[in-house]
Amino acid sequence: MQPTGGDLGAFLLGVTPERRRTDAQELIELMREVSGREPVLWGTIIGFGACHYVYPTGTEGDMPVLAFSPRKTATTIYLDDTGAYPDELARLGPHTTGRGCLYLKKLDAVDLGVLRDILTRCLARTEAGGAEGVRITVTG
């Protein structure tokens, strides 16, 4: 995955439904604060910073340090491993998860302080070199 250099403002104007667009604007501010980085489009993903990862299998690639995507059915927040945040997720509010994805239908229904804690810990884990077995080098 690579940054695409797309126009973030134009992308946001096309986000539907309206709730996703509003949530996206709020998440941009939150992730900007947490990461200290500016948002960049990686296709339909809004990313902050960049890193290179290498799995034990040898698979490697590039990805944002923190990222989310405003999808029609839910906003997807990309995390290193949702299993690393059981206590926070229990307090977050309505959500669903995949291994590395946190899905939110309504940002105003979750505890933003808890979400900030999750993002801060995810950033720290990434900047420290990644989860067990995965090597991550922050490049931007």
Side-chain angles (χ1 to χ4, degrees):
M1 175 184 333
Q2 295 293 322
T4 56
D7 182 332
L8 180 60
F11 173 75
L12 289 172
L13 286 175
V15 170
T16 59
E18 174 83 22
R19 169 176 291 286
R20 296 286 171 269
R21 185 170 39 254
T22 302
D23 288 355
Q25 291 165 334
E26 192 168 347
L27 276 173
I28 285 171
E29 291 310 312
L30 178 60
M31 288 192 180
R32 181 183 275 142
E33 281 180 34
V34 168
S35 72
R37 296 167 171 96
E38 291 300 312
V40 174
L41 280 178
W42 297 58
T44 60
I45 294 172
I46 300 170
F48 297 78
C51 61
H52 184 79
Y53 62 87
V54 181
Y55 287 107
T57 61
T59 301
E60 62 183 282
D62 298 302
M63 65 184 189
V65 174
L66 286 180
F68 75 96
S69 184
R71 309 278 187 215
K72 276 191 194 237
T73 57
T75 297
T76 303
I77 298 175
Y78 300 98
L79 301 174
D80 56 333
D81 178 2
T82 56
Y85 311 100
D87 296 336
E88 292 91 341
L89 291 173
R91 297 188 329 266
L92 180 62
H95 70 278
T96 57
T97 60
R99 175 140 193 229
C101 297
L102 172 62
Y103 304 102
L104 303 176
K105 290 191 181 280
K106 297 179 179 181
L107 190 61
D108 62 3
V110 300
D111 185 321
L112 292 180
V114 172
L115 181 58
R116 176 185 296 277
D117 291 345
I118 292 169
L119 294 172
T120 300
R121 285 192 55 214
C122 180
L123 176 66
R125 287 168 49 98
T126 300
E127 289 178 333
E132 185 176 328
V134 181
R135 286 189 332 237
I136 295 179
T137 305
V138 175
T139 58

